[in-house]
Amino acid sequence: MSITSARGVAFASAVAVIALASQAQAQQNNNPLPPGDGRDIVSVACSQCHYLGTIAKIRDGAAGWRVYVSNMVLRGAQLTPAEVDKVVNYLATNLGPGINLPPPRPVALPDGSGKQLVETRCALCHDLERVAAVKRKKQDWTPIVANMAAWGAPVTADEAKTITNYLAANFGD
Amino acid sequence: MKQLIKDYLDQGLSRRQLVSGLSAFGMSTVAAKAVAQNLAPLGPGAGQAASPPQAPSAVREIEGNGGKLFVEQLKSAGVEYIFFNPSTGDHPIFDALVDLPEIKIIKGIQEGAVTAMADGYARASGRTGIVVVANIGLPNAMTQMVNTFKDQIPMLVAVASVGQNELGRDQWQEVDHHELMTEPITKWFWQAQSTEAMAETTRRALKFASTPPCGPVFLSLPTNTLEQHAKTQVWERSKFDVPMRIRPDKEDVEKAARMLIEAKNPLLSVGDEITWCRGEKELIELAELLGAPVAGEAGSLGYWSKPFPTRHPLYIGTVLRTMRFPGKPDVLLNLGNRWGENASPGTKLISIRLDPTSLAREAPVDLAMVADLKLAMADLSAAIRSMATASLLKDIANKRAERARAYAAQMQQEREAIAHALTDSTPISMERLGLELEKNLDRDTCYVADVDSGKTMDPLMAFGGGDKQYFGTGPNVLGWGMAAGFGVKLARPDVPVVSVVGDGSFLFSGPQPLWSMARYKAPVTVIVLNNHSYNNERNRIWNGAGRQFEAARDMTCYNGSPDVDFAKTAEAFGVEGETVKEPASLAGAFSRAKAAMVEGRPYLLDIHIKREGLGAVSDWYPPYSIADLRTRKV
């Protein structure tokens, strides 16, 4: 359930790649972002340096999106604090957990307590292929799940514990 | 253009043809004639005329083998250091150096490190880096020559090659015409033809390397030309130096000045050529005269210096294709920025460049000038002052600067607020480290950066003006930073030098630069940003939202497993170091590093840094095991 592997700022580093600018422009002309208040700022400010398509494929809560956007400001995005708030609100509203997700690839998870939670909560933000990507020790799964909950995954503390135990049991190292 | 100049010097072109050819490359007639004038002493006919009388100290007759003639010419040119690794064939060079203490030799233990040391020395000193490496190790040197070439840094790379009588016999370490390998990444390459021509060939190489736009040159020195004896002249640098400090055309400067005065929303885009021309002071003066916002480097690639103070109230950060602030400029003045010719339709673009070959190369330019940036900016400021009263200019500047100052101050506060909110994480966040570096590094520190994702720290630190001086590479061919830090320290022994490298960079260069730091007691602090990953590389790849992104399979960029202990590696090379995993440990670690530098020792900090971005949490990699392939336990 490496939601944080889908998090972060892929587009961050792309700031460096000037050659992407013309492609970003082309993509802006075919804007993949859903309509909503703030879309114009995202389209203009973010497309200076990177594709918009990746944004459209990520789902995250407000806290998670703020991490992305803050990192972008450090990398040169021209967004004032008020605009950062507006951008985060747009992203969390229109690309939040479970909103307009593309059809997932079928992934058969092993049975066990927590399977349903993983299928219904984790898959709100990312494909379940990510869950099965790597085996980890329980002490490594714990902060990953906690981090996702902090960033916006809709899970209670008990549910997070159940998910962690399920992952450690079935995808443990 | 280098081919054009080569043809001229090889007597295939007349002076008129040279001027015409340079003009075709976009150089003004004035500039082209200046180049031709400067090349004349070495051009067609130069050797046929009787040499004018010279002061004895300027032109000396030297007798000796080719190695001696090579180093005597270097000495006369003012060369202080040769960066080298040993090979059998170049022994005449080092034999001669036994009795020539004016030139010191700096040993590296791999050609890439040797080249990067010379590169760092050249960037920090403004002088030509001299490299003599093993013939067969030339491809190692070439990896770092890419940085040197792309950033137009002067360097002479020489190898002792197979003797002329052995050429073409498929000798053990011979490859046919190996000098051709260097063609795409040198201004000029040559194989010495005779011992008699050794000094002249060396002069020519030095001149090409240091004539702006500068760059690396390559000399192949067949062993017989190094071993045989001859008598020839060596010249002082002043007799063959080509300063190329070209003033821009006066009428063009006046046009530009008028456009900038009348502009409603001008923007300055600035780049490395200003740094190389030592034009920082003139840039500040011009920007303040105009009250125009200044935008610098774009992202993490494509620049090696920060020519404008990053805490100046007019500095607005990265130059972007479309600037939300200050909005679309009506006049964009590009000053020495290779990536700055970036105007949208409707923007008038003035571009002043030292390098005519990349001027107007990708975008239409309304007013192009080839000039030394320092002189051009001084002329431009003078022209602006001559066209309007001081009070009118002040009014214009104040009006423009008000918005820029407000924006720059707001963004600075915002960035610091973001960073302060991320200071307590473990592994240590890049933001926390940036704040700590800003707090702990001395203001006159030379900051040598060979990182990619680590550049998110830059906006949290002050560079330029009276603050830290920034050194990096435009192409970011990793493996440069530690060795370059050594070279910077050699050039600037009296200021602190910090070399900041990613774990990726360290692994590219290997620990070899530490060997030279230990041997020569180079007090450099090496900071390894260890996130066990080519972090930005992964981000760029996953940004394409392909299968690696979908399936969270980082096929290429995870560097952990094994987790290299860089502090232990340093210890093995005689450099003290420590691992830092907690943010609270940073201040103490910096203090110990500073104490080591005061004592004249290098010190390494292996700082465990949080990975960022897409796939940051992933420590998966394709799990192959050669041990599992075995059918016998052998």
Side-chain angles (χ1 to χ4, degrees):
Chain A
M1 173 163 159
S2 54
I3 191 172
T4 40
S5 64
R7 293 177 192 277
V9 235
F11 19 106
S13 53
V15 169
V17 186
I18 305 301
L20 294 181
S22 58
Q23 293 166 286
Q25 176 69 55
Q27 191 172 50
Q28 191 180 338
N29 296 335
N30 185 21
N31 195 331
L33 298 175
D37 186 24
R39 179 179 185 262
D40 288 347
I41 295 180
V42 174
S43 301
V44 174
C46 305
S47 67
Q48 295 308 303
C49 303
H50 59 76
Y51 308 119
L52 298 177
T54 312
I55 299 176
K57 290 189 175 185
I58 297 171
R59 298 295 181 273
D60 222 323
W65 278 116
R66 187 169 291 280
V67 173
Y68 288 124
V69 177
S70 296
N71 193 272
M72 290 297 99
V73 171
L74 291 181
R75 290 172 182 270
Q78 292 190 309
L79 290 168
T80 65
E83 289 173 330
V84 167
D85 290 342
K86 190 165 188 175
V87 165
V88 170
N89 184 58
Y90 163 80
L91 295 168
T93 303
N94 297 284
L95 297 168
I99 298 174
N100 294 324
L101 275 173
R105 287 172 183 270
V107 174
L109 297 177
D111 291 333
S113 173
K115 177 189 176 194
Q116 190 183 7
L117 280 173
V118 171
E119 288 174 337
T120 57
R121 308 299 169 80
C122 303
L124 291 174
C125 290
H126 60 79
D127 201 289
L128 292 179
E129 264 192 301
R130 291 167 178 270
V131 174
V134 61
K135 293 185 182 301
R136 303 175 191 282
K137 295 183 174 65
K138 185 173 181 182
Q139 63 261 33
D140 294 330
W141 279 118
T142 301
I144 290 171
V145 176
N147 193 36
M148 288 185 219
W151 281 23
V155 292
T156 65
D158 285 345
E159 288 170 337
K161 196 172 176 183
T162 305
I163 290 171
T164 302
N165 288 336
Y166 171 81
L167 294 172
N170 294 283
F171 301 98
D173 192 10
Chain B
M1 189 166 74
K2 65 183 180 183
Q3 186 62 42
L4 192 68
I5 293 174
K6 178 176 181 299
D7 289 347
Y8 172 69
L9 291 171
D10 290 345
Q11 306 187 18
L13 284 180
S14 68
R15 183 178 185 278
R16 177 173 294 183
Q17 286 170 319
L18 173 68
V19 171
S20 173
L22 292 172
S23 298
F25 274 110
M27 196 178 268
S28 69
T29 305
V30 174
K33 285 181 177 173
V35 172
Q37 184 66 33
N38 285 323
L39 290 171
L42 292 152
Q48 296 160 17
S51 299
Q54 302 289 348
S57 60
V59 176
R60 295 182 294 138
E61 290 282 343
I62 297 289
E63 187 170 1
N65 66 17
K68 180 177 172 67
L69 298 175
F70 176 73
V71 297
E72 287 283 359
Q73 181 54 70
L74 294 180
K75 175 189 158 190
S76 284
V79 168
E80 290 182 299
Y81 298 104
I82 293 176
F83 300 85
F84 81 103
N85 74 341
S87 73
T88 310
D90 56 22
H91 73 86
I93 292 173
F94 296 95
D95 286 344
L97 287 169
V98 170
D99 299 313
L100 206 69
E102 295 92 333
I103 296 180
K104 298 173 182 63
I105 57 173
I106 304 294
K107 183 175 176 177
I109 55 172
Q110 199 258 11
E111 293 81 2
V114 173
T115 305
M117 286 194 289
D119 177 286
Y121 169 79
R123 288 176 202 252
S125 67
R127 310 181 73 162
T128 301
I130 309 295
V131 173
V132 177
V133 288
N135 178 24
I136 201 65
L138 176 61
N140 289 334
M142 288 170 60
T143 57
Q144 289 304 317
M145 285 167 68
V146 174
N147 282 326
T148 313
F149 180 73
K150 295 291 284 185
D151 288 340
Q152 301 180 332
I153 305 301
M155 181 183 290
L156 189 166
V157 178
V159 303
S161 52
V162 173
Q164 286 164 312
N165 288 340
E166 307 298 321
L167 285 172
R169 290 183 176 176
D170 196 18
Q171 297 291 305
W172 300 289
Q173 294 187 331
E174 182 204 5
V175 292
D176 287 351
H177 303 296
H178 69 162
E179 65 274 16
L180 293 176
M181 284 194 287
T182 68
E183 180 173 15
I185 55 169
T186 51
K187 281 183 72 179
W188 183 72
F189 60 93
W190 196 256
Q191 183 170 72
Q193 301 298 303
S194 66
T195 305
E196 288 75 12
M198 182 65 74
E200 180 187 342
T201 301
T202 306
R203 278 197 298 277
R204 190 172 285 184
L206 289 168
K207 185 183 69 64
F208 286 159
S210 64
T211 301
C214 305
V217 300
F218 174 71
L219 282 184
S220 170
L221 308 174
T223 50
N224 63 298
T225 67
L226 287 170
E227 290 165 355
Q228 290 165 1
H229 284 243
K231 186 175 183 181
T232 187
Q233 289 183 344
V234 296
W235 301 357
E236 277 189 1
R237 174 172 285 279
S238 63
K239 300 302 169 191
F240 63 93
D241 189 34
V242 184
M244 283 283 283
R245 297 201 62 206
I246 299 171
R247 297 205 96 97
D249 182 84
K250 190 179 174 192
E251 287 182 16
D252 286 344
V253 170
E254 288 171 353
K255 271 188 220 168
R258 200 168 298 114
M259 289 165 71
L260 289 162
I261 291 171
E262 293 171 356
K264 302 293 182 206
N265 191 28
L267 175 67
L268 271 54
S269 163
V270 299
D272 294 324
E273 288 177 352
I274 295 171
T275 306
W276 188 255
C277 293
R278 307 296 193 259
E280 293 92 341
K281 177 173 155 284
E282 287 74 13
L283 171 59
I284 294 170
E285 186 181 334
L286 177 62
E288 291 177 352
L289 181 65
L290 291 168
V294 178
E297 73 284 354
S300 64
L301 301 176
Y303 62 95
W304 65 266
S305 66
K306 294 183 187 283
F308 193 71
T310 59
R311 292 289 166 87
H312 191 284
L314 291 173
Y315 183 70
I316 61 167
T318 301
V319 62
L320 299 168
R321 182 169 46 85
T322 304
M323 303 291 288
R324 297 190 70 230
F325 179 86
K328 182 177 174 179
D330 55 347
V331 176
L332 173 62
L333 173 60
N334 180 50
L335 294 165
N337 186 352
R338 181 184 291 190
W339 311 108
E341 293 172 3
N342 202 10
S344 303
T347 296
K348 291 287 184 190
L349 173 58
I350 306 165
S351 189
I352 307 178
R353 296 290 312 282
L354 186 63
D355 176 11
T357 65
S358 62
L359 174 58
R361 190 161 173 165
E362 293 182 27
V365 175
D366 296 290
L367 181 54
M369 289 176 249
V370 176
D372 176 275
L373 270 296
K374 182 184 177 79
L375 298 179
M377 290 186 291
D379 287 359
L380 194 48
S381 290
I384 290 167
R385 286 200 178 90
S386 75
M387 288 180 181
T389 64
S391 68
L392 176 59
L393 288 173
K394 193 173 177 184
D395 287 347
I396 293 171
N398 284 342
K399 193 174 168 189
R400 291 171 177 165
E402 191 178 348
R403 283 182 65 224
R405 286 194 187 109
Y407 174 80
Q410 182 183 33
M411 293 305 289
Q412 181 61 28
Q413 285 177 5
E414 184 181 358
R415 287 191 292 265
E416 291 191 2
I418 288 169
H420 280 290
L422 299 168
T423 53
D424 294 327
S425 71
T426 301
I428 298 163
S429 71
M430 207 68 86
E431 291 81 3
R432 171 65 181 264
L433 182 56
L435 293 172
E436 293 282 349
L437 286 171
E438 180 59 18
K439 192 164 71 178
N440 286 283
L441 296 183
D442 295 334
R443 285 190 75 202
D444 59 350
T445 295
C446 286
Y447 183 89
V448 183
D450 192 21
V451 290
D452 196 349
S453 53
K455 288 182 179 174
T456 49
M457 298 190 297
D458 292 0
L460 303 170
M461 290 187 272
F463 295 102
D467 278 304
K468 294 174 286 298
Q469 186 168 358
Y470 186 94
F471 294 92
T473 66
N476 221 12
V477 178
L478 295 178
W480 170 86
M482 282 196 294
F486 175 97
V488 169
K489 186 67 184 179
L490 183 64
R492 307 256 181 98
D494 291 330
V495 296
V497 174
V498 172
S499 175
V500 181
V501 302
D503 56 309
S505 169
F506 188 107
L507 294 170
F508 268 114
S509 70
Q512 290 93 334
L514 296 172
W515 184 94
S516 299
M517 286 186 191
R519 168 171 275 200
Y520 298 108
K521 299 179 178 57
V524 174
T525 296
V526 175
I527 296 176
V528 183
L529 305 183
N530 186 1
N531 55 16
H532 304 101
S533 176
Y534 302 120
N535 188 68
N536 255 17
E537 196 71 48
R538 186 195 64 255
N539 274 289
R540 280 190 283 266
I541 292 167
W542 286 36
N543 183 45
R547 276 296 289 149
Q548 292 183 75
F549 167 83
E550 289 175 352
R553 300 290 204 280
D554 177 6
M555 299 292 284
T556 58
C557 292
Y558 182 62
N559 285 341
S561 186
D563 296 348
V564 177
D565 185 329
F566 296 105
K568 273 190 182 171
T569 309
E571 186 183 354
F573 279 76
V575 173
E576 191 181 352
E578 62 182 284
T579 302
V580 185
K581 295 184 177 178
E582 303 290 334
S585 305
L586 282 169
F590 285 134
S591 177
R592 286 183 287 279
K594 194 173 277 189
M597 289 211 288
V598 169
E599 292 170 11
R601 294 182 287 115
Y603 200 83
L604 183 142
L605 300 175
D606 176 357
I607 301 180
H608 286 211
I609 288 287
K610 188 177 182 180
R611 284 194 295 279
E612 291 179 295
L614 288 180
V617 77
S618 176
D619 51 9
W620 181 88
Y621 57 92
Y624 310 130
S625 161
I626 294 173
D628 291 347
L629 295 177
R630 298 173 303 168
T631 56
R632 296 170 57 216
K633 291 196 175 179
V634 293

